[in-house]
Amino acid sequence: MAFKSHSNTNYLKNYESQSDYQAYLEKRLFEIENELRNLNMEKERLLEEIAYLRSELERTKMPPLIEAYVVDVLNDGRAVVKSSTGPNLVVQVSSNIDLKMLRPYTRVALSQKNFAIVEILPQIEDPYVQVMEVIEKPNVTYDDIGGLERQKQEIREVVELPLKHPELFERIGVTPPKGVLLYGPPGCGKTLLAKAVANETNATFIRTVGSELVRKYIGEGARIVKELFALARRKAPSIIFIDEIDAIGAKRLEDATSGEREVHRTLAQLLYELDGFNPRENIRVIAATNRIDIIDEALLRPGRFDRIIYIPLPNEEEREHIFRVHAKKLRLDEGVSFKLLARETEGMSGADIMKICVEAGMNAIRRRGDRVTMVDFMEAIKKINRKVKEAATTIYR
């Protein structure tokens, strides 16, 4: 009940006792204090919103900055920059910028008013280069590669050992090889060897194909090669695997077309990068090709690809091992003989044997069988042989 008069008479009319009146006042005071507290909170929120809106308004009024790259820092505190909008400029450096942080190729922001350096921008990585990094560790081991025991041992010595035990080379004083070139017929395990090394060393595995480094515009291919090696240095220990390197590493001709000259520029950058990094850095380069006869001699000289390893077609014993590797997950009939299969696949590569195992499984599925039999394998061999002959006839027709 509302209190309308402070006189004793009205008080007695509205409240039975003085304690009831005090209780009402305390309740009312509590309500007003809560309301005041809520109003203060709302005031603080509105003030924060006003400050944010003012800052956003000021930000929208600011002119955009110009992206540039530092070329050189002069002794008088000025810097030479390469602007994205024009030629090189000699500019002032803002007082809040530490000159020690300015190095060649540092990405900076320039004011539009006087082109002074006002901010150091974070370095960016080309998304095209980022996707070359294999995030998941390759699950291929040396046991998954049939045969090639000598090649496995050699690649372990020149790639895996320097990454896992560099102190051995330092103690003896031997400079570890920078790169390894794998060559041989297609489908013989060159890529598998590179994956197995990455698995054993726990290194960052960066994979690319030579054709991916060839770009349309002048200088783009060389830039990608440069950023590729920069990524490898940041992610070290790392292994760069360049498959089909003959796409950019073919012999250079004097009467080259404009497209070929761009490939030559990319190759020149690759040669520079192979020469540029310290062999004791935790970076190794593995390249693979099916056409070593067309590779430029500059790539093959010592100091770039120090080891050249031939990956041949598997022999009979190695083919038997490869059959056993690819048939691990198949439900086989007791009559399957891997020795006989190895004899029947003379001249075939590991990739061909994998296709034979897959095709044999498909034969079992077609006849609704529950196991893969020797007959399924023999039919698969005939089918793969027929496809190889047809492909050869088409190519040379």
Side-chain angles (χ1 to χ4, degrees):
M1 182 181 296
F3 180 72
K4 298 181 180 179
S5 174
H6 293 283
S7 65
N8 292 335
T9 303
N10 289 335
Y11 165 74
L12 294 174
K13 289 180 180 179
N14 295 293
Y15 297 95
E16 295 180 357
S17 65
Q18 185 176 358
S19 60
D20 291 341
Y21 178 57
Q22 291 177 345
Y24 164 76
L25 292 178
E26 291 175 355
K27 179 182 178 182
R28 184 58 181 157
L29 178 62
F30 179 75
E31 292 175 351
I32 294 174
E33 288 178 344
N34 279 341
E35 186 176 356
L36 179 61
R37 190 180 302 109
N38 292 334
L39 290 173
N40 285 332
M41 292 174 61
E42 181 68 13
K43 176 185 175 183
E44 292 296 327
R45 188 189 68 80
L46 292 174
L47 289 175
E48 291 179 358
E49 185 175 354
I50 290 172
Y52 169 75
L53 293 174
R54 283 177 177 170
S55 64
E56 285 295 307
L57 183 61
E58 290 298 324
R59 187 177 292 111
T60 57
K61 290 181 179 179
M62 291 177 58
L65 303 178
I66 300 173
E67 180 191 29
Y69 288 87
V70 174
V71 177
D72 190 16
V73 179
L74 305 180
N75 294 331
D76 59 1
R78 294 181 299 171
V80 180
V81 298
K82 173 66 176 178
S83 171
S84 59
T85 60
N88 290 5
L89 302 171
V90 179
V91 300
Q92 299 290 340
V93 180
S94 177
S95 58
N96 62 340
I97 301 294
D98 187 359
L99 290 176
K100 296 180 180 179
M101 301 293 293
L102 296 180
R103 297 180 179 180
Y105 298 106
T106 300
R107 186 163 162 257
V108 295
L110 307 180
S111 169
Q112 281 200 10
K113 293 181 179 179
N114 54 7
F115 292 99
I117 297 177
V118 295
E119 185 180 353
I120 297 179
L121 301 177
Q123 297 298 112
I124 59 174
E125 293 180 357
D126 193 322
Y128 191 79
V129 175
Q130 286 182 327
V131 299
M132 293 180 182
E133 179 185 355
V134 179
I135 303 300
E136 295 184 2
K137 180 181 177 182
N139 57 0
V140 178
T141 64
Y142 289 115
D143 296 333
D144 296 327
I145 305 173
L148 303 177
E149 297 303 325
R150 182 183 62 81
Q151 288 82 356
K152 291 178 187 176
Q153 180 64 28
E154 192 167 359
I155 201 170
R156 275 177 167 168
E157 291 176 354
V158 300
V159 178
E160 182 179 332
L161 195 60
L163 291 176
K164 297 176 71 173
H165 302 286
E167 70 279 359
L168 298 178
F169 293 84
E170 294 178 2
R171 185 172 63 217
I172 302 300
V174 175
T175 301
K178 289 183 176 182
V180 177
L181 178 64
L182 308 177
Y183 76 99
C188 292
K190 298 184 288 293
T191 303
L192 287 179
L193 275 173
K195 289 183 177 181
V197 173
N199 181 293
E200 293 292 330
T201 57
N202 291 320
T204 301
F205 190 61
I206 303 173
R207 180 182 179 180
T208 185
V209 182
S211 58
E212 292 181 345
L213 303 177
V214 180
R215 311 303 293 168
K216 177 179 179 181
Y217 299 103
I218 295 176
E220 280 293 296
R223 182 185 62 80
I224 290 176
V225 171
K226 181 179 178 180
E227 292 195 11
L228 176 65
F229 277 81
L231 174 64
R233 290 185 179 93
R234 288 192 297 271
K235 299 285 186 176
S238 57
I239 296 173
I240 301 175
F241 177 59
I242 307 175
D243 204 359
E244 307 295 343
I245 195 173
D246 48 275
I248 62 168
K251 294 178 181 178
R252 288 168 284 189
L253 305 175
E254 293 183 0
D255 54 344
T257 63
S258 59
E260 291 172 339
R261 284 195 293 270
E262 176 58 22
V263 175
H264 295 167
R265 294 187 190 95
T266 305
L267 174 59
Q269 184 66 36
L270 176 61
L271 296 175
Y272 171 78
E273 293 294 341
L274 288 172
D275 270 338
F277 71 87
N278 190 320
R280 297 195 187 278
E281 292 180 356
N282 289 334
I283 302 173
R284 291 296 175 270
V285 180
I286 304 176
T289 181
N290 305 326
R291 296 290 310 277
I292 194 172
D293 55 305
I294 65 172
I295 296 295
D296 195 286
E297 295 179 358
L299 270 175
L300 302 179
R301 75 158 175 80
R304 284 170 179 153
F305 288 108
D306 299 289
R307 294 294 180 92
I308 300 175
I309 303 175
Y310 177 58
I311 310 297
L313 287 170
N315 57 31
E316 184 175 330
E317 181 181 351
E318 292 171 342
R319 290 197 300 274
E320 181 182 349
H321 186 186
I322 296 172
F323 267 112
R324 294 183 184 278
V325 169
H326 290 300
K328 281 181 180 179
K329 297 182 180 180
L330 298 178
R331 295 186 62 185
L332 301 177
D333 185 74
E334 294 181 356
V336 175
S337 171
F338 292 117
K339 289 186 177 180
L340 178 58
L341 292 175
R343 286 197 295 269
E344 293 293 327
T345 52
E346 179 71 30
M348 288 192 177
S349 66
D352 294 329
I353 294 174
M354 182 186 69
K355 287 194 294 185
I356 289 172
C357 292
V358 173
E359 188 61 33
M362 293 301 298
N363 291 337
I365 292 173
R366 291 189 189 100
R367 61 178 177 80
R368 299 295 188 270
D370 58 351
R371 291 181 183 276
V372 183
T373 65
M374 192 68 180
V375 175
D376 295 326
F377 275 104
M378 296 306 294
E379 290 180 356
I381 291 174
K382 292 179 182 178
K383 184 175 181 179
I384 298 301
N385 270 329
R386 185 166 60 251
K387 287 184 177 180
V388 171
K389 290 179 181 179
E390 289 176 356
T393 303
T394 302
I395 291 173
Y396 295 107
R397 181 175 294 171

